[in-house]
Amino acid sequence: MARQAVSPAELRSAVDAVRAWLRDDSVDAPARTELAAAVRTTARTLAAAAPGHSVEVRVPPFVAVQCIEGPRHTRGTPPNVVETDPRTWLLLATGLLDFATALDSGTLTASGSRATEVARWLPIARLADD
């Protein structure tokens, strides 16, 4: 059963709740529920924008989604995986960090020949200027 699409209002609300922390890491981290909502809504938005099953994006402990058209993966470790922590994911999703920089710094891993294609779909929701 497919998940319901994320509405633009839901996406904006979830991202706005973590905005201050993304812009300034010295600000107290958001509540776990706010962080989870922001990670899940941005990842689900990516999956809706780039439907498919050839790349798995993992943001533990909150979400893993499959995206990008291509061969479907059904068992074992997927051949194309992107994995990162929640803050790095949200920085990528909001355009405050680019994929190559995250990859070079080691805060993001991308394995498989198609994993880096995720970069094409980022950012998901740019933060408006404050």
Side-chain angles (χ1 to χ4, degrees), residues 74-95:
T74 56
R75 297 182 64 184
T77 301
N80 299 287
V81 176
V82 172
E83 187 166 346
T84 191
D85 63 276
R87 188 165 198 279
T88 300
W89 169 251
L90 291 170
L91 291 170
L92 290 163
T94 57

Side-chain angles (χ1 to χ4, degrees), residues 105-128:
S105 73
T107 59
L108 175 131
T109 60
S111 61
S113 61
R114 301 203 52 207
T116 58
E117 290 180 34
V118 168
R120 176 176 173 236
W121 301 97
L122 299 171
I124 295 161
R126 286 198 182 275
L127 289 180

